[in-house]
């Protein structure tokens, strides 16, 4: 698992930067109901998406929260006074405090199904009646674009998809949330090249291929044998799902 305090300095540049952030923010904003005034962005990271959410709709007040201290420091520069360091499984906010809650690229990182349930439960708790929770699902699957790189990686040891859509649907339903729409957006600048994939492998990107282990180096050698080492393959497309908390409380309350 990557250390996101260590990742903070290179996170944006290594993951598509502003173009990817713009695509993600646009997808979230498209699913926000009219009248949304208070949005909580859970696992806001460096704030690169969160800042665009705050600027993307007039009158929208956005709060970011993240656990990694280095991420929070960067996000706080982008959104002064609007970023909190906290665990997404134990959010430091009141019940029903927000009109909408987003968690983009978070659930797939959870260590267990129980952690995903806890995150979804907390997002539902701080959401007002009538509000929406938006989250990405099936992130690992999105990176499989049918390329030669994917063919090499297909035989690596499997890892449970904590953010599988059907699981997230069930966790949301268990907290009384109902489906409220979906969207897709491109991971601009995230198309993998063989050389970049090898670098990611050796810094711990692939959980089931621990850096320095013989199995990891076997896959690195297979990737190194592919043609066009620096040519990015197609960008992934991410899936965003929205869930509504039943009720009719006013967004302006």
């Amino acid at each position: 698992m990557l250390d996101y305090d260590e990742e903070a300095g290179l996170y944006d540049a290594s993951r598509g930067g502003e173009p990817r952030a713009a695509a993600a923010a646009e997808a979230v904003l498209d699913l926000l109901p009219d009248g949304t005034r208070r949005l909580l962005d859970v696992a806001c990271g460096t704030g690169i998406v969160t800042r665009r959410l705050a600027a993307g709709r007039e009158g929208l007040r956005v709060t970011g929260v993240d656990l990694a201290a280095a991420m929070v420091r960067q996000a706080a520069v982008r959104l002064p006074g609007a970023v909190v360091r906290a665990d997404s499984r134990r959010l430091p906010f009141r019940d029903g405090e927000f009109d909408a809650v987003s968690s983009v690229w978070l659930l797939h990182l959870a260590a267990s199904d129980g952690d995903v349930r806890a995150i979804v439960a907390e997002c539902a708790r701080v959401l007002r009646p009538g509000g929406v929770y938006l989250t990405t699902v099936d992130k690992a699957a999105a990176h499989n674009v049918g390329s030669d790189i994917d063919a090499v990686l297909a035989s690596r040891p499997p890892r449970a998809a904590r953010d599988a859509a059907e699981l997230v649907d069930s966790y949301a339903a268990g907290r009384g949330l109902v489906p409220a729409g979906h969207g897709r957006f491109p991971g601009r600048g995230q198309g993998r090249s063989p050389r970049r994939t090898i670098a990611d492998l050796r810094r711990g990107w692939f959980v089931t291929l621990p850096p320095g282990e013989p199995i990891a180096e076997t896959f690195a050698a297979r990737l190194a044998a592919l043609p066009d080492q620096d040519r990015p393959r197609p960008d992934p497309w991410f899936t965003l799902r929205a869930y509504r908390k039943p009720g009719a409380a006013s967004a302006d309350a």
Side-chain angles (χ1 to χ4, degrees), residues 72-244:
V72 168
R73 286 194 293 272
Q74 290 202 35
V77 173
R78 287 173 162 147
L79 295 106
V83 181
V84 177
R85 186 184 180 203
D87 191 321
S88 57
R89 298 167 298 180
R90 294 180 293 276
L91 294 171
F93 305 106
R94 301 187 307 274
D95 293 0
E97 187 167 344
F98 296 94
D99 302 321
V101 179
S102 59
S103 62
V104 178
W105 303 310
L106 168 62
L107 300 184
H108 70 287
L109 297 172
S112 69
D113 290 341
D115 283 344
V116 180
R117 288 192 190 94
I119 294 167
V120 173
E122 278 294 271
C123 290
R125 179 185 65 79
V126 302
L127 187 64
R128 67 161 178 85
V132 295
Y133 170 49
L134 305 99
T135 188
T136 44
V137 297
D138 295 324
K139 184 175 186 292
H143 283 280
N144 187 341
V145 296
S147 71
D148 52 351
I149 295 172
D150 296 318
V152 168
L153 294 175
S155 61
R156 74 186 187 273
R159 178 178 185 263
R162 307 290 185 199
D163 67 336
E166 62 272 16
L167 290 178
V168 179
D169 284 350
S170 69
Y171 301 152
R175 291 295 165 174
L177 305 181
V178 298
H182 58 87
R184 297 180 73 234
F185 62 94
R188 293 175 181 149
Q190 278 205 290
R192 290 171 171 159
S193 69
R195 199 181 311 279
R196 174 176 167 179
T197 305
I198 293 168
D200 285 340
L201 186 158
R202 286 176 170 159
R203 65 191 184 89
W205 184 288
F206 300 99
V207 174
T208 61
L209 298 175
E213 294 292 326
I215 187 173
E217 289 309 308
T218 296
F219 277 87
R222 294 174 186 171
L223 291 165
L226 294 177
D228 303 318
Q229 281 286 299
D230 294 309
R231 177 176 62 83
R233 279 43 171 183
D235 287 338
W237 277 78
F238 300 111
T239 299
L240 188 68
R241 292 209 175 189
Y243 305 92
R244 183 175 59 84

